[in-house]
Amino acid sequence: MIKKMKLPHIPPYKTKMIEPVYFRSKKARSEKIKEVNFNLFNLHSDWVVIDLITDSGTGAMSEQQWAEIMLGDESYAGSESFFKLKKAVKKIMGFNLIAPTHQGRAAENVLFSATLKEGQVVPGNAHFDTTKGHIEFRKAKAVDCTIKEAFDTSTYHPFKGNIDIEKLENVIIKYGPETIPFIVITVTCNTVGGQPVSLENITKTKEIAKKYNIPVYMDIARYAENAYFIKIREAEYKEWSIKAIIKEMFRDIDVVWMSSKKDGLVNIGGFIALNNYELFEKLSQFTIIYEGFVTYGGMSGRSMGALAVGLKEACDFHYLEDRIGQVAYLGEKLKSFGIPIQEPTGGHALYIDAKKMLPQIPQSEFPAQLLAVELYIEAGIRGVEIGTLLADKDPKTGKERFPEMELLRLAIPRRVYSNAHMDYIAEAMKNVKNRAKELKKGLVIKKQAEILRHFTVELDRK
Ligand SMILES: Cc1ncc(COP(=O)(O)O)c(C=O)c1O
Protein backbone atom coordinates (compact mmCIF):
# COMPACT_ATOMS: atom_id res chain seq x y z
CA MET A 1 0.00 0.00 0.00
CA ILE A 2 1.34 3.45 -0.90
CA LYS A 3 1.42 5.71 2.13
CA LYS A 4 0.24 9.29 1.47
CA MET A 5 3.02 11.70 2.45
CA LYS A 6 2.01 15.17 3.52
CA LEU A 7 4.42 17.75 2.15
CA PRO A 8 5.18 21.00 3.99
CA HIS A 9 3.66 24.24 2.81
CA ILE A 10 5.80 26.41 0.54
CA PRO A 11 5.00 29.81 -1.02
CA PRO A 12 3.59 29.61 -4.57
CA TYR A 13 6.45 31.76 -5.94
CA LYS A 14 10.25 32.03 -5.86
CA THR A 15 12.69 34.96 -5.68
CA LYS A 16 14.09 36.58 -8.83
CA MET A 17 15.56 39.80 -7.46
CA ILE A 18 16.83 40.73 -4.01
CA GLU A 19 17.18 43.88 -1.88
CA PRO A 20 19.92 44.28 0.73
CA VAL A 21 19.15 44.66 4.44
CA TYR A 22 21.44 46.75 6.66
CA PHE A 23 22.15 45.85 10.28
CA ARG A 24 23.06 48.40 13.00
CA SER A 25 23.81 48.05 16.67
CA LYS A 26 21.14 48.37 19.34
CA LYS A 27 23.01 51.39 20.73
CA ALA A 28 23.03 53.10 17.32
CA ARG A 29 19.30 52.49 16.94
CA SER A 30 18.54 53.82 20.38
CA GLU A 31 20.39 57.08 19.53
CA LYS A 32 18.74 57.28 16.11
CA ILE A 33 15.18 56.94 17.44
CA LYS A 34 15.79 59.83 19.82
CA GLU A 35 17.24 61.88 16.98
CA VAL A 36 14.02 61.32 14.95
CA ASN A 37 11.82 62.35 17.90
CA PHE A 38 10.54 58.82 18.61
CA ASN A 39 8.54 58.92 15.39
CA LEU A 40 9.27 55.83 13.29
CA PHE A 41 7.96 57.53 10.15
CA ASN A 42 11.07 59.73 10.34
CA LEU A 43 13.53 56.83 10.00
CA HIS A 44 15.39 56.36 6.73
CA SER A 45 14.60 52.87 5.48
CA ASP A 46 18.26 51.76 5.60
CA TRP A 47 17.96 52.06 9.38
CA VAL A 48 15.23 49.42 9.37
CA VAL A 49 15.94 45.68 9.34
CA ILE A 50 12.36 44.44 8.84
CA ASP A 51 9.86 47.06 7.77
CA LEU A 52 6.36 46.35 9.05
CA ILE A 53 5.15 49.94 9.11
CA THR A 54 2.60 49.09 6.46
CA ASP A 55 1.50 46.50 3.93
CA SER A 56 0.57 49.41 1.68
CA GLY A 57 2.60 49.69 -1.51
CA THR A 58 5.38 47.59 -0.01
CA GLY A 59 4.67 44.29 -1.77
CA ALA A 60 6.76 42.59 -4.45
CA MET A 61 5.37 42.54 -7.98
CA SER A 62 5.31 39.44 -10.17
CA GLU A 63 7.17 38.94 -13.45
CA GLN A 64 3.83 39.35 -15.24
CA GLN A 65 3.35 42.73 -13.59
CA TRP A 66 6.86 43.86 -14.51
CA ALA A 67 6.22 42.71 -18.06
CA GLU A 68 3.04 44.80 -18.10
CA ILE A 69 5.07 47.78 -16.92
CA MET A 70 7.11 47.56 -20.12
CA LEU A 71 3.85 47.65 -22.09
CA GLY A 72 2.56 50.74 -20.23
CA ASP A 73 0.82 53.21 -22.51
CA GLU A 74 1.63 56.68 -21.20
CA SER A 75 -0.86 58.55 -23.41
CA TYR A 76 -2.40 61.44 -21.51
CA ALA A 77 -5.88 60.55 -22.77
CA GLY A 78 -7.31 57.16 -23.72
CA SER A 79 -4.32 55.10 -22.53
CA GLU A 80 -4.51 51.43 -23.47
CA SER A 81 -3.35 50.61 -19.92
CA PHE A 82 -6.42 52.41 -18.53
CA PHE A 83 -8.68 50.19 -20.61
CA LYS A 84 -6.86 47.08 -19.38
CA LEU A 85 -7.53 48.25 -15.82
CA LYS A 86 -11.16 49.06 -16.58
CA LYS A 87 -11.63 45.58 -18.10
CA ALA A 88 -10.05 43.90 -15.05
CA VAL A 89 -12.29 45.84 -12.63
CA LYS A 90 -15.38 44.96 -14.66
CA LYS A 91 -14.42 41.28 -14.83
CA ILE A 92 -13.44 40.85 -11.18
CA MET A 93 -15.75 43.30 -9.43
CA GLY A 94 -18.61 43.86 -11.85
CA PHE A 95 -18.41 47.68 -12.08
CA ASN A 96 -18.65 49.47 -15.43
CA LEU A 97 -17.17 52.83 -14.49
CA ILE A 98 -13.78 53.49 -12.98
CA ALA A 99 -11.99 56.64 -11.89
CA PRO A 100 -8.28 56.03 -11.22
CA THR A 101 -6.61 58.07 -8.46
CA HIS A 102 -3.04 58.19 -7.25
CA GLN A 103 -3.87 56.28 -4.04
CA GLY A 104 -6.67 55.41 -1.61
CA ARG A 105 -6.99 58.71 0.23
CA ALA A 106 -7.11 60.49 -3.13
CA ALA A 107 -10.10 58.31 -4.02
CA GLU A 108 -11.67 59.38 -0.71
CA ASN A 109 -10.97 63.01 -1.51
CA VAL A 110 -12.54 62.80 -4.98
CA LEU A 111 -15.52 60.70 -3.88
CA PHE A 112 -16.32 62.64 -0.72
CA SER A 113 -15.96 65.98 -2.55
CA ALA A 114 -18.84 64.82 -4.72
CA THR A 115 -20.99 63.16 -2.06
CA LEU A 116 -20.37 64.51 1.46
CA LYS A 117 -21.36 67.80 3.10
CA GLU A 118 -20.75 69.56 6.40
CA GLY A 119 -22.96 68.28 9.23
CA GLN A 120 -23.62 64.88 7.64
CA VAL A 121 -23.01 61.55 9.34
CA VAL A 122 -21.22 58.49 7.93
CA PRO A 123 -21.78 55.27 9.90
CA GLY A 124 -19.79 52.13 9.21
CA ASN A 125 -17.39 49.61 10.69
CA ALA A 126 -14.30 51.32 12.16
CA HIS A 127 -13.29 53.90 9.56
CA PHE A 128 -9.65 53.90 8.52
CA ASP A 129 -7.75 57.02 9.65
CA THR A 130 -7.62 58.67 6.20
CA THR A 131 -11.33 57.94 5.71
CA LYS A 132 -12.14 59.50 9.09
CA GLY A 133 -9.75 62.35 8.29
CA HIS A 134 -11.53 63.10 5.02
CA ILE A 135 -14.92 62.93 6.72
CA GLU A 136 -13.91 65.20 9.62
CA PHE A 137 -12.03 67.57 7.31
CA ARG A 138 -15.44 68.23 5.71
CA LYS A 139 -16.93 68.84 9.18
CA ALA A 140 -18.99 65.68 8.92
CA LYS A 141 -19.05 62.89 11.51
CA ALA A 142 -17.83 59.28 11.27
CA VAL A 143 -19.79 56.95 13.58
CA ASP A 144 -18.18 53.62 14.37
CA CYS A 145 -20.72 50.76 14.44
CA THR A 146 -18.29 47.82 14.64
CA ILE A 147 -19.43 44.87 16.79
CA LYS A 148 -18.21 45.07 20.39
CA GLU A 149 -16.23 41.80 20.16
CA ALA A 150 -13.75 43.62 17.90
CA PHE A 151 -12.54 45.66 20.84
CA ASP A 152 -11.59 42.75 23.05
CA THR A 153 -8.40 41.23 21.67
CA SER A 154 -8.81 37.94 23.49
CA THR A 155 -12.39 37.08 22.42
CA TYR A 156 -12.69 34.86 19.37
CA HIS A 157 -15.08 36.01 16.65
CA PRO A 158 -14.56 34.88 13.04
CA PHE A 159 -15.69 38.25 11.64
CA LYS A 160 -14.58 41.01 13.98
CA GLY A 161 -14.93 43.53 11.16
CA ASN A 162 -18.73 43.08 11.18
CA ILE A 163 -21.12 45.97 11.65
CA ASP A 164 -23.43 45.85 14.68
CA ILE A 165 -26.70 45.98 12.75
CA GLU A 166 -28.75 47.15 15.73
CA LYS A 167 -26.30 49.94 16.44
CA LEU A 168 -26.32 50.93 12.78
CA GLU A 169 -30.11 51.20 12.76
CA ASN A 170 -30.08 53.21 16.00
CA VAL A 171 -27.55 55.62 14.50
CA ILE A 172 -29.73 56.04 11.40
CA ILE A 173 -32.77 56.74 13.59
CA LYS A 174 -30.83 59.09 15.90
CA TYR A 175 -29.37 61.30 13.17
CA GLY A 176 -32.12 60.75 10.59
CA PRO A 177 -31.61 58.97 7.25
CA GLU A 178 -31.57 62.31 5.42
CA THR A 179 -28.30 63.28 7.17
CA ILE A 180 -26.59 60.06 6.06
CA PRO A 181 -25.26 60.27 2.48
CA PHE A 182 -23.89 56.72 2.62
CA ILE A 183 -22.84 53.86 4.90
CA VAL A 184 -19.24 52.61 4.63
CA ILE A 185 -18.17 48.98 4.90
CA THR A 186 -14.38 48.59 5.03
CA VAL A 187 -13.10 45.17 3.95
CA THR A 188 -11.12 43.98 5.74
CA CYS A 189 -11.42 46.35 8.69
CA ASN A 190 -7.88 47.64 9.14
CA THR A 191 -8.51 49.67 12.29
CA VAL A 192 -9.67 46.70 14.37
CA GLY A 193 -6.95 44.36 13.17
CA GLY A 194 -7.43 43.57 9.48
CA GLN A 195 -10.54 41.71 10.56
CA PRO A 196 -12.97 40.44 7.93
CA VAL A 197 -16.64 41.21 7.36
CA SER A 198 -18.94 38.25 6.66
CA LEU A 199 -21.19 38.05 3.64
CA GLU A 200 -24.12 37.62 5.99
CA ASN A 201 -23.22 40.95 7.62
CA ILE A 202 -22.76 42.69 4.27
CA THR A 203 -26.22 41.44 3.23
CA LYS A 204 -27.83 42.62 6.48
CA THR A 205 -26.16 46.02 6.17
CA LYS A 206 -27.53 46.34 2.65
CA GLU A 207 -31.02 45.43 3.90
CA ILE A 208 -30.95 48.17 6.55
CA ALA A 209 -29.58 50.63 4.02
CA LYS A 210 -32.38 49.74 1.61
CA LYS A 211 -35.01 50.17 4.33
CA TYR A 212 -33.87 53.78 4.85
CA ASN A 213 -32.90 54.39 1.23
CA ILE A 214 -29.24 55.03 2.00
CA PRO A 215 -26.47 54.04 -0.46
CA VAL A 216 -23.75 51.61 0.66
CA TYR A 217 -20.12 52.34 -0.22
CA MET A 218 -17.22 49.96 0.32
CA ASP A 219 -13.58 50.64 1.03
CA ILE A 220 -12.13 47.59 -0.71
CA ALA A 221 -8.38 47.96 -0.06
CA ARG A 222 -8.23 44.30 1.03
CA TYR A 223 -11.17 42.81 -0.86
CA ALA A 224 -9.40 39.55 -1.79
CA GLU A 225 -8.19 38.87 1.76
CA ASN A 226 -11.77 39.44 2.97
CA ALA A 227 -13.07 36.98 0.36
CA TYR A 228 -10.53 34.37 1.54
CA PHE A 229 -11.78 34.66 5.13
CA ILE A 230 -15.38 34.27 3.93
CA LYS A 231 -14.41 31.08 2.11
CA ILE A 232 -12.64 29.54 5.09
CA ARG A 233 -14.78 30.86 7.95
CA GLU A 234 -18.34 31.23 6.61
CA ALA A 235 -19.65 27.70 6.14
CA GLU A 236 -22.15 28.59 3.40
CA TYR A 237 -19.38 29.75 1.06
CA LYS A 238 -16.88 26.95 1.64
CA GLU A 239 -17.29 25.56 -1.86
CA TRP A 240 -17.42 28.94 -3.59
CA SER A 241 -14.45 30.21 -5.57
CA ILE A 242 -12.72 33.40 -4.39
CA LYS A 243 -13.89 35.12 -7.59
CA ALA A 244 -17.53 34.15 -6.98
CA ILE A 245 -17.34 35.39 -3.38
CA ILE A 246 -15.90 38.72 -4.54
CA LYS A 247 -18.76 39.18 -7.01
CA GLU A 248 -21.24 38.40 -4.24
CA MET A 249 -19.54 40.86 -1.83
CA PHE A 250 -19.97 43.66 -4.38
CA ARG A 251 -23.51 42.80 -5.50
CA ASP A 252 -25.76 45.90 -5.13
CA ILE A 253 -22.97 47.97 -3.57
CA ASP A 254 -23.33 51.52 -4.90
CA VAL A 255 -19.71 52.65 -4.94
CA VAL A 256 -16.38 51.07 -4.05
CA TRP A 257 -13.02 52.76 -3.63
CA MET A 258 -9.67 51.16 -3.30
CA SER A 259 -6.17 51.85 -2.19
CA SER A 260 -4.59 49.57 -4.79
CA LYS A 261 -1.39 49.45 -2.77
CA LYS A 262 -2.84 46.55 -0.82
CA ASP A 263 -4.73 43.82 -2.70
CA GLY A 264 -3.89 45.50 -6.01
CA LEU A 265 -0.35 44.19 -5.45
CA VAL A 266 1.19 47.41 -6.76
CA ASN A 267 3.34 50.08 -5.17
CA ILE A 268 1.06 53.03 -5.90
CA GLY A 269 -2.49 53.61 -7.13
CA GLY A 270 -6.14 53.72 -6.27
CA PHE A 271 -9.55 53.99 -7.90
CA ILE A 272 -13.27 54.49 -7.46
CA ALA A 273 -15.62 52.09 -9.26
CA LEU A 274 -19.37 52.30 -9.69
CA ASN A 275 -22.26 51.83 -12.11
CA ASN A 276 -24.09 55.15 -11.57
CA TYR A 277 -23.21 57.36 -14.52
CA GLU A 278 -24.67 60.54 -13.01
CA LEU A 279 -22.46 60.23 -9.91
CA PHE A 280 -19.50 59.28 -12.09
CA GLU A 281 -19.89 62.52 -14.08
CA LYS A 282 -20.09 64.51 -10.85
CA LEU A 283 -17.00 62.97 -9.32
CA SER A 284 -15.07 63.20 -12.60
CA GLN A 285 -15.00 66.97 -12.09
CA PHE A 286 -13.06 66.39 -8.89
CA THR A 287 -10.83 63.76 -10.52
CA ILE A 288 -9.79 66.39 -13.06
CA ILE A 289 -9.19 69.10 -10.42
CA TYR A 290 -7.32 66.94 -7.92
CA GLU A 291 -5.86 63.96 -9.78
CA GLY A 292 -5.63 64.36 -13.54
CA PHE A 293 -7.54 63.47 -16.67
CA VAL A 294 -10.16 60.76 -16.17
CA THR A 295 -8.21 58.03 -17.97
CA TYR A 296 -5.21 58.23 -15.65
CA GLY A 297 -6.22 60.10 -12.47
CA GLY A 298 -2.69 60.47 -11.09
CA MET A 299 -1.45 57.04 -12.16
CA SER A 300 1.10 56.32 -14.85
CA GLY A 301 -0.01 54.04 -17.68
CA ARG A 302 2.49 51.39 -16.57
CA SER A 303 1.10 51.44 -12.99
CA MET A 304 -2.43 50.98 -14.29
CA GLY A 305 -1.24 48.00 -16.37
CA ALA A 306 0.52 46.41 -13.39
CA LEU A 307 -2.60 46.98 -11.29
CA ALA A 308 -4.81 45.24 -13.86
CA VAL A 309 -2.58 42.15 -13.45
CA GLY A 310 -2.26 42.53 -9.66
CA LEU A 311 -6.03 42.60 -9.13
CA LYS A 312 -6.25 39.19 -10.81
CA GLU A 313 -3.25 37.69 -8.99
CA ALA A 314 -4.68 38.75 -5.63
CA CYS A 315 -7.70 36.48 -6.23
CA ASP A 316 -5.57 33.33 -6.48
CA PHE A 317 -6.46 30.96 -3.65
CA HIS A 318 -2.90 29.64 -3.23
CA TYR A 319 -1.49 33.13 -3.01
CA LEU A 320 -4.08 34.08 -0.37
CA GLU A 321 -3.55 30.87 1.58
CA ASP A 322 0.19 31.59 1.70
CA ARG A 323 -0.24 35.26 2.54
CA ILE A 324 -2.78 34.86 5.30
CA GLY A 325 -1.02 31.69 6.45
CA GLN A 326 2.16 33.69 7.02
CA VAL A 327 0.30 36.19 9.21
CA ALA A 328 -1.20 33.27 11.17
CA TYR A 329 2.25 31.64 11.48
CA LEU A 330 3.66 34.75 13.13
CA GLY A 331 0.54 34.98 15.30
CA GLU A 332 1.06 31.43 16.60
CA LYS A 333 4.74 32.13 17.36
CA LEU A 334 3.89 35.30 19.26
CA LYS A 335 1.18 33.53 21.23
CA SER A 336 3.58 30.74 22.16
CA PHE A 337 5.76 33.44 23.78
CA GLY A 338 2.76 34.78 25.71
CA ILE A 339 2.44 37.97 23.66
CA PRO A 340 -1.15 39.27 23.66
CA ILE A 341 -2.43 39.71 20.10
CA GLN A 342 -5.76 40.47 18.45
CA GLU A 343 -7.40 37.11 17.85
CA PRO A 344 -8.07 35.50 15.52
CA THR A 345 -5.26 36.88 13.37
CA GLY A 346 -6.47 39.04 10.52
CA GLY A 347 -5.42 39.36 6.93
CA HIS A 348 -2.49 41.68 6.65
CA ALA A 349 -1.03 42.32 10.09
CA LEU A 350 -0.50 41.28 13.68
CA TYR A 351 -1.89 43.60 16.31
CA ILE A 352 -0.22 43.48 19.69
CA ASP A 353 -2.25 44.62 22.67
CA ALA A 354 -0.11 47.32 24.29
CA LYS A 355 -2.53 47.82 27.20
CA LYS A 356 -1.84 44.22 28.19
CA MET A 357 1.89 44.32 27.48
CA LEU A 358 2.51 47.62 29.23
CA PRO A 359 -0.30 47.91 31.83
CA GLN A 360 1.83 50.34 33.86
CA ILE A 361 1.80 52.97 31.07
CA PRO A 362 -1.38 55.08 30.93
CA GLN A 363 -3.01 55.79 27.57
CA SER A 364 -2.04 59.44 27.92
CA GLU A 365 1.61 58.30 27.60
CA PHE A 366 1.05 56.37 24.34
CA PRO A 367 1.86 52.77 25.36
CA ALA A 368 1.55 51.37 21.83
CA GLN A 369 3.97 53.97 20.49
CA LEU A 370 6.37 53.12 23.31
CA LEU A 371 6.14 49.45 22.34
CA ALA A 372 6.89 50.38 18.71
CA VAL A 373 9.96 52.33 19.86
CA GLU A 374 11.21 49.48 22.03
CA LEU A 375 10.77 46.87 19.29
CA TYR A 376 12.73 49.12 16.94
CA ILE A 377 15.57 49.51 19.41
CA GLU A 378 15.55 45.78 20.15
CA ALA A 379 15.81 44.47 16.59
CA GLY A 380 15.33 47.23 13.99
CA ILE A 381 11.73 46.19 13.33
CA ARG A 382 9.46 49.07 12.38
CA GLY A 383 5.78 48.73 13.29
CA VAL A 384 3.12 51.39 13.71
CA GLU A 385 0.97 52.60 16.59
CA ILE A 386 -2.79 52.18 16.22
CA GLY A 387 -3.98 53.89 19.37
CA THR A 388 -4.23 57.31 20.98
CA LEU A 389 -1.72 58.98 18.65
CA LEU A 390 -3.53 57.74 15.57
CA ALA A 391 -6.95 58.66 16.99
CA ASP A 392 -6.06 62.39 16.96
CA LYS A 393 -7.60 64.89 19.35
CA ASP A 394 -11.35 65.53 19.12
CA PRO A 395 -11.66 68.18 16.37
CA LYS A 396 -14.56 69.88 18.23
CA THR A 397 -13.33 69.91 21.82
CA GLY A 398 -9.57 69.72 21.15
CA LYS A 399 -9.39 67.09 23.88
CA GLU A 400 -7.39 63.86 23.71
CA ARG A 401 -9.52 60.88 22.57
CA PHE A 402 -8.66 57.53 24.11
CA PRO A 403 -9.65 54.60 21.85
CA GLU A 404 -10.69 51.31 23.38
CA MET A 405 -7.58 49.60 22.09
CA GLU A 406 -3.91 50.51 22.14
CA LEU A 407 -2.32 48.38 19.46
CA LEU A 408 1.07 47.97 17.88
CA ARG A 409 0.45 46.91 14.30
CA LEU A 410 3.01 44.76 12.52
CA ALA A 411 1.88 44.83 8.90
CA ILE A 412 3.29 42.14 6.65
CA PRO A 413 4.21 43.25 3.11
CA ARG A 414 2.93 40.92 0.38
CA ARG A 415 5.39 38.38 -1.11
CA VAL A 416 8.42 40.07 0.53
CA TYR A 417 9.51 38.28 3.72
CA SER A 418 10.00 34.60 4.49
CA ASN A 419 9.00 32.70 7.60
CA ALA A 420 12.63 33.06 8.81
CA HIS A 421 11.87 36.79 9.07
CA MET A 422 8.72 35.93 11.02
CA ASP A 423 10.83 33.90 13.49
CA TYR A 424 13.17 36.89 13.95
CA ILE A 425 10.19 39.18 14.66
CA ALA A 426 8.73 36.78 17.23
CA GLU A 427 12.06 36.38 19.06
CA ALA A 428 12.56 40.15 19.13
CA MET A 429 9.07 40.67 20.54
CA LYS A 430 9.79 38.04 23.20
CA ASN A 431 12.89 40.00 24.27
CA VAL A 432 10.83 43.20 24.55
CA LYS A 433 8.24 41.34 26.61
CA ASN A 434 10.96 40.10 28.97
CA ARG A 435 12.02 43.65 29.79
CA ALA A 436 8.56 45.29 29.54
CA LYS A 437 8.23 45.69 33.33
CA GLU A 438 11.37 47.85 33.42
CA LEU A 439 9.64 50.49 31.28
CA LYS A 440 8.24 52.82 33.90
CA LYS A 441 7.29 55.86 31.81
CA GLY A 442 5.80 56.46 28.40
CA LEU A 443 6.13 59.30 25.90
CA VAL A 444 5.04 62.94 25.72
CA ILE A 445 4.19 65.05 22.69
CA LYS A 446 6.49 67.96 21.84
CA LYS A 447 4.83 68.99 18.57
CA GLN A 448 1.77 67.80 16.64
CA ALA A 449 -0.49 68.54 13.66
CA GLU A 450 -4.29 68.83 14.06
CA ILE A 451 -5.25 66.02 11.67
CA LEU A 452 -3.38 62.74 11.07
CA ARG A 453 -0.77 63.80 13.59
CA HIS A 454 0.91 60.40 13.86
CA PHE A 455 2.79 60.95 10.59
CA THR A 456 4.66 64.04 11.78
CA VAL A 457 4.37 64.08 15.59
CA GLU A 458 7.49 64.81 17.64
CA LEU A 459 7.78 62.93 20.94
CA ASP A 460 10.14 62.52 23.85
CA ARG A 461 10.47 60.09 26.73
CA LYS A 462 8.52 61.32 29.76
C1 LIG B 1 -8.80 50.50 4.75
C2 LIG B 1 -7.99 51.60 4.15
N1 LIG B 1 -8.60 52.60 3.50
C3 LIG B 1 -7.90 53.60 2.95
C4 LIG B 1 -6.53 53.65 3.03
C5 LIG B 1 -5.77 54.81 2.44
O1 LIG B 1 -5.09 54.43 1.30
P1 LIG B 1 -3.73 55.12 0.81
O2 LIG B 1 -2.69 54.87 1.84
O3 LIG B 1 -3.45 54.45 -0.50
O4 LIG B 1 -4.00 56.57 0.64
C6 LIG B 1 -5.86 52.63 3.69
C7 LIG B 1 -4.38 52.67 3.79
O5 LIG B 1 -3.74 52.03 4.58
C8 LIG B 1 -6.60 51.57 4.27
O6 LIG B 1 -6.02 50.56 4.93
Side-chain angles (χ1 to χ4, degrees), residues 214-331:
I214 300 169
V216 180
Y217 292 8
M218 246 192 208
D219 175 347
I220 61 162
R222 299 177 182 84
Y223 72 100
E225 290 173 6
N226 200 82
Y228 175 82
F229 281 117
I230 289 172
K231 183 172 171 65
I232 61 161
R233 291 190 189 160
E234 203 168 352
E236 208 183 320
Y237 302 99
K238 205 171 133 210
E239 303 301 330
W240 286 41
S241 70
I242 295 289
K243 282 186 185 142
I245 293 173
I246 290 168
K247 280 267 168 62
E248 186 62 15
M249 272 165 53
F250 295 155
R251 193 171 49 78
D252 297 331
I253 295 294
D254 295 277
V255 182
V256 299
W257 81 85
M258 176 166 190
S259 165
S260 310
K261 301 164 76 178
K262 284 84 176 175
D263 280 355
L265 297 175
V266 288
N267 305 115
I268 194 73
F271 63 83
I272 303 160
L274 65 167
N275 287 322
N276 177 339
Y277 194 74
E278 209 181 308
L279 178 55
F280 178 72
E281 277 196 320
K282 201 173 162 194
L283 65 85
S284 292
Q285 295 295 315
F286 295 100
T287 305
I288 291 168
I289 292 171
Y290 294 129
E291 295 294 296
F293 185 61
V294 292
T295 58
Y296 76 90
M299 288 182 78
S300 60
R302 64 186 82 104
S303 303
M304 289 190 284
L307 174 56
V309 177
L311 289 174
K312 285 178 224 154
E313 288 181 358
C315 302
D316 178 66
F317 178 79
H318 298 292
Y319 154 72
L320 287 166
E321 189 182 38
D322 177 67
R323 155 108 186 115
I324 291 166
Q326 187 173 57
V327 174
Y329 174 83
L330 177 56

Side-chain angles (χ1 to χ4, degrees), residues 55-237:
D55 63 317
S56 180
T58 53
M61 288 200 292
S62 67
E63 57 183 3
Q64 286 84 358
Q65 287 180 290
W66 281 107
E68 197 54 54
I69 281 196
M70 297 310 291
L71 297 173
D73 175 359
E74 304 305 336
S75 303
Y76 186 94
S79 155
E80 196 49 43
S81 306
F82 167 77
F83 291 107
K84 285 180 183 168
L85 175 58
K86 188 172 166 162
K87 203 169 150 196
V89 168
K90 169 75 187 159
K91 193 162 177 226
I92 298 165
M93 301 173 179
F95 295 100
N96 294 309
L97 302 163
I98 163 170
T101 60
H102 76 272
Q103 61 183 81
R105 70 200 69 185
E108 287 162 355
N109 188 31
V110 167
L111 181 60
F112 296 176
S113 293
T115 54
L116 184 61
K117 292 195 200 78
E118 183 173 339
Q120 290 186 319
V121 173
V122 181
N125 54 350
H127 308 67
F128 183 66
D129 61 345
T130 59
T131 316
K132 188 146 80 67
H134 273 292
I135 292 171
E136 291 179 349
F137 183 70
R138 287 170 175 79
K139 298 193 165 41
K141 192 179 166 73
V143 182
D144 183 356
C145 299
T146 319
I147 55 166
K148 66 175 187 323
E149 289 87 338
F151 302 100
D152 179 354
T153 52
S154 52
T155 340
Y156 180 89
H157 189 293
F159 292 101
K160 280 187 170 177
N162 277 359
I163 289 180
D164 180 332
I165 301 296
E166 206 182 308
K167 183 164 182 201
L168 174 67
E169 185 155 25
N170 288 340
V171 168
I172 297 172
I173 293 165
K174 180 175 168 196
Y175 293 99
E178 64 291 346
T179 65
I180 300 176
F182 50 87
I183 294 164
V184 176
I185 310 175
T186 302
V187 294
T188 57
C189 189
N190 188 355
T191 308
V192 298
Q195 296 289 321
V197 182
S198 70
L199 253 174
E200 186 191 14
N201 192 257
I202 293 173
T203 307
K204 282 189 179 155
T205 303
K206 284 190 294 199
E207 280 165 15
I208 291 286
K210 199 169 171 200
K211 182 170 162 191
Y212 294 97
N213 204 18
I214 300 169
V216 180
Y217 292 8
M218 246 192 208
D219 175 347
I220 61 162
R222 299 177 182 84
Y223 72 100
E225 290 173 6
N226 200 82
Y228 175 82
F229 281 117
I230 289 172
K231 183 172 171 65
I232 61 161
R233 291 190 189 160
E234 203 168 352
E236 208 183 320
Y237 302 99

Side-chain angles (χ1 to χ4, degrees), residues 272-457:
I272 303 160
L274 65 167
N275 287 322
N276 177 339
Y277 194 74
E278 209 181 308
L279 178 55
F280 178 72
E281 277 196 320
K282 201 173 162 194
L283 65 85
S284 292
Q285 295 295 315
F286 295 100
T287 305
I288 291 168
I289 292 171
Y290 294 129
E291 295 294 296
F293 185 61
V294 292
T295 58
Y296 76 90
M299 288 182 78
S300 60
R302 64 186 82 104
S303 303
M304 289 190 284
L307 174 56
V309 177
L311 289 174
K312 285 178 224 154
E313 288 181 358
C315 302
D316 178 66
F317 178 79
H318 298 292
Y319 154 72
L320 287 166
E321 189 182 38
D322 177 67
R323 155 108 186 115
I324 291 166
Q326 187 173 57
V327 174
Y329 174 83
L330 177 56
E332 286 306 317
K333 281 246 147 179
L334 290 172
K335 272 193 325 185
S336 72
F337 295 145
I339 290 151
I341 57 166
Q342 171 71 296
E343 289 195 77
T345 46
H348 67 283
L350 271 300
Y351 292 70
I352 295 162
D353 192 331
K355 276 189 183 171
K356 286 188 183 152
M357 266 202 67
L358 299 170
Q360 72 277 26
I361 309 290
Q363 271 189 286
S364 56
E365 293 178 20
F366 311 108
Q369 181 68 11
L370 179 65
L371 201 54
V373 164
E374 294 303 326
L375 182 62
Y376 173 70
I377 294 171
E378 182 64 37
I381 298 162
R382 172 157 72 170
V384 73
E385 187 252 24
I386 307 272
T388 304
L389 262 190
L390 181 76
D392 278 338
K393 286 184 176 179
D394 188 307
K396 272 200 179 140
T397 63
K399 280 193 184 149
E400 207 58 82
R401 291 189 280 207
F402 296 112
E404 280 188 66
M405 297 198 287
E406 283 291 331
L407 303 169
L408 166 61
R409 185 185 79 176
L410 305 178
I412 313 295
R414 294 167 179 79
R415 309 191 286 205
V416 172
Y417 293 115
S418 68
N419 281 2
H421 293 100
M422 301 302 120
D423 294 342
Y424 175 93
I425 299 161
E427 291 287 339
M429 207 60 227
K430 184 173 87 175
N431 294 351
V432 173
K433 181 179 176 263
N434 289 345
R435 59 178 176 82
K437 275 200 191 113
E438 294 158 25
L439 299 164
K440 301 286 179 222
K441 286 187 177 159
L443 301 162
V444 283
I445 292 183
K446 290 196 292 184
K447 200 172 160 199
Q448 61 186 305
E450 275 178 28
I451 293 183
L452 297 177
R453 67 180 174 183
H454 77 144
F455 289 120
T456 53
V457 70

